[in-house]
Amino acid sequence: MDDLMAARSQMALSLGFHIIFACIGMVMPFFMATSHYFYLKTGDLNYKNLTKAWGKGVAIFFVTGAVSGTMLSFELGLLWPAFMEHAGPIFGMPFSLEGTAFFIEAIAIGFFLYGWDRFSPWFHWITGLIVGISGLASGILVVAANGWMNSPSGFDYVDGKYINIDPIAAMFNDAWFTQALHMTIAAFVATGFAVAGIHALMLLKGKNIGFHIKAFKIAIIFGGIAAVVQPISGDISAKDIAKRQPEKLAAMESHFETKKQAPLLIGGIPDLERKTVDYSIKIPGALSFLAHGDFDAVVIGLDQIPEENHPPVLVTHIAFQIMVFTGMIMVGLGLLYFFAIWKKQNWINKKWFLKLFIAATPLGFIAVEAGWTVTEVGRQPWILYGYMKTSEALTPMPGITYSFIVFSLVYLSLSLVVVFLLYRQIKAVPELYSNQNKTTESIQ
């Protein structure tokens, strides 16, 4: 493994690890605030206990996300110093504002966790809501910085120098809104289905039915609504990418030849030598329509892009197909749940129904990881699209392979710690709240 591949692999590992905690940190506080709201309105202790349990989970993910996010900040400077030298003054504003949002979130979490019976009930609820709002803002600001890497703006590039810097224009670049919208909805989908799956498992085991049924419903309503609207966001993103980064769209669809009435491919394995895609299902004209709103529109293929600027087609295409496939499964499950509460409420107590959502527990995060693979790998070979290639930004420091190994071990250790803490938290729920959650409900 050469230094460039080691550096890219380390960054991929770091981002892939951190994005899970970023998604949960953006969304889980809203679940917590919703449960808290229902407790304040109904006085049902199940909601209070659920709020406290989710609050502890939020704290665990907040701390882990803070650690992994801090490591990412160091890695940007460690691995890509040439990029940070030029990019820092331009896109530093969203990172600075993200730090402010993180600071507010940390204070609000402290108030919420230790505010029980110390603050007025509704003020206490507001502190929990602030945790969610500030976490959501943090995520959007980081995505804005990534959007700038995909759509550079806010500067003039003259004689190899970045001048006339406008940080506001850089932050509100052409890609920030579509990426932030898609990522935010994806975070709700992933977290909603993951949390719903965990509580569905507890329901299947017949443990604390009153507690877990309320948790399941809150999570799947958030996740299901987000899943159903996500294809709209995906369509907006696809049309934006078709204009700004046609080579990324071409890699996503393994679209080798520029043509009218370009077909949309479902599945398939690209053959890079023959410039074809094997085993795919083709929908004639659909890619032209999705990219440009016209079945007869011309879609630029990789034949119009210099070969040295081609993204890794195989990885990008497969990641895109995984994202779409898992996303559509969750759309179906979301619609199934809403049909159940409309027409077939008894389904919610059926084992087959719960098993579907248990099986879907990891799908949202698989889709998120695949989506970020499309975003990052599909931009290659550029670290700053159109201005600086990834190879040009690499540190001259030797031994990056060893750094990759060390960071991999750190992230593995963090993962084990988080899994252990969450396991203890989930296992403790029946013991902590069993006396307050007596119920005669059973799973059929």
Side-chain angles (χ1 to χ4, degrees):
M1 180 184 293
D2 62 20
D3 283 346
L4 178 59
M5 182 54 68
R8 289 181 60 189
S9 299
Q10 181 174 323
M11 207 69 197
L13 173 69
S14 302
L15 284 168
F17 181 88
H18 179 70
I19 199 171
I20 295 174
F21 301 100
C23 288
I24 296 171
M26 291 167 65
V27 173
M28 199 70 198
F30 289 104
F31 295 2
M32 179 183 75
T34 301
S35 176
H36 195 187
Y37 174 82
F38 285 133
Y39 166 63
L40 294 177
K41 295 295 288 185
T42 67
D44 188 332
L45 288 177
N46 279 308
Y47 285 121
K48 180 179 181 180
N49 295 331
L50 178 58
T51 303
K52 288 188 173 183
W54 277 349
K56 292 178 180 178
V58 167
I60 292 171
F61 284 111
F62 175 81
V63 171
T64 311
V67 173
S68 60
T70 302
M71 292 172 68
L72 265 173
S73 300
F74 282 113
E75 284 177 286
L76 283 171
L78 173 69
L79 301 175
W80 319 107
F83 170 70
M84 292 304 296
E85 177 187 356
H86 300 292
I90 305 173
F91 81 149
M93 178 173 285
F95 280 124
S96 299
L97 293 175
E98 192 273 337
T100 302
F102 177 83
F103 180 68
I104 294 171
E105 185 180 6
I107 295 173
I109 284 178
F111 279 5
F112 185 81
L113 292 177
Y114 297 102
W116 290 97
D117 303 320
R118 291 180 175 87
F119 298 137
S120 67
W122 286 106
F123 177 79
H124 185 217
W125 175 77
I126 289 173
T127 64
L129 191 62
I130 291 173
V131 174
I133 294 171
S134 55
L136 190 62
S138 293
I140 291 173
L141 288 164
V142 170
V143 171
N146 182 267
W148 179 79
M149 297 169 70
N150 284 285
S151 181
S153 59
F155 64 90
D156 293 323
Y157 187 70
V158 181
D159 296 329
K161 297 181 180 180
Y162 299 80
I163 61 175
N164 301 326
I165 293 171
D166 183 350
I168 299 296
M171 183 166 68
F172 295 107
N173 55 80
D174 290 341
W176 85 269
F177 176 75
T178 54
Q179 282 196 206
L181 177 66
H182 198 62
M183 185 66 231
T184 300
I185 297 175
F188 274 93
V189 175
T191 307
F193 274 85
V195 173
I198 291 170
H199 289 286
L201 179 61
M202 296 297 105
L203 288 171
L204 192 64
K205 292 182 177 181
K207 296 182 178 180
N208 271 359
I209 304 299
F211 177 91
H212 289 294
I213 193 65
K214 290 176 171 58
F216 173 78
K217 287 181 177 179
I218 290 172
I220 198 56
I221 286 174
F222 272 102
I225 292 173
V228 170
V229 302
Q230 182 67 307
I232 300 173
S233 167
D235 180 66
I236 294 171
S237 295
K239 287 180 168 58
D240 178 59
I241 290 171
K243 294 178 182 177
R244 290 187 301 99
Q245 294 175 297
E247 62 269 48
K248 180 184 285 188
L249 180 66
M252 289 160 56
E253 281 293 326
S254 294
H255 185 58
F256 292 102
E257 182 183 352
T258 301
K259 63 174 66 174
K260 287 184 175 182
Q261 299 180 346
L264 180 72
L265 303 185
I266 300 176
I269 301 175
D271 186 321
L272 302 182
E273 292 185 2
R274 294 189 293 118
K275 310 296 184 185
T276 59
V277 183
D278 300 323
Y279 316 115
S280 65
I281 299 172
K282 296 183 179 180
I283 304 177
L287 181 59
S288 293
F289 180 77
L290 290 174
H292 301 291
D294 181 356
F295 285 101
D296 292 322
V298 174
V299 178
I300 296 174
L302 290 169
D303 59 338
Q304 297 295 311
I305 309 296
E307 191 167 346
E308 65 270 18
N309 292 338
H310 285 191
V313 176
L314 180 62
V315 174
T316 306
H317 177 80
I318 291 176
F320 179 67
Q321 295 296 322
I322 291 172
M323 180 186 70
V324 173
F325 179 69
T326 52
M328 294 311 297
I329 290 176
M330 290 182 288
V331 169
L333 287 175
L335 292 174
L336 179 67
Y337 175 77
F338 294 129
F339 177 77
I341 60 175
W342 178 42
K343 289 288 187 179
K344 300 285 185 179
Q345 294 191 18
N346 65 312
W347 282 4
I348 298 175
N349 293 327
K350 301 292 186 181
K351 289 184 178 180
W352 66 265
F353 188 83
L354 294 173
K355 286 179 179 179
L356 287 175
F357 290 92
I358 294 169
T361 300
L363 292 185
F365 286 109
I366 291 173
V368 166
E369 297 287 4
W372 270 100
T373 299
V374 172
T375 299
E376 298 303 294
V377 176
R379 188 180 65 242
Q380 298 305 312
W382 304 100
I383 190 171
L384 182 60
Y385 180 68
Y387 290 92
M388 180 183 293
K389 291 191 174 181
T390 307
S391 58
E392 297 168 348
L394 180 66
T395 178
M397 182 182 71
I400 299 300
T401 301
Y402 300 106
S403 172
F404 171 51
I405 294 171
V406 170
F407 272 78
S408 298
L409 292 174
V410 170
Y411 284 123
L412 177 61
S413 301
L414 280 174
S415 299
L416 294 175
V417 169
V418 171
V419 170
F420 173 71
L421 291 174
L422 290 177
Y423 174 76
R424 286 187 59 186
Q425 177 64 19
I426 294 171
K427 187 177 180 181
V429 167
E431 299 173 3
L432 289 173
Y433 308 134
S434 58
N435 292 332
Q436 299 172 347
N437 292 334
K438 299 290 185 181
T439 179
T440 58
E441 300 177 58
S442 63
I443 300 297
Q444 297 179 3

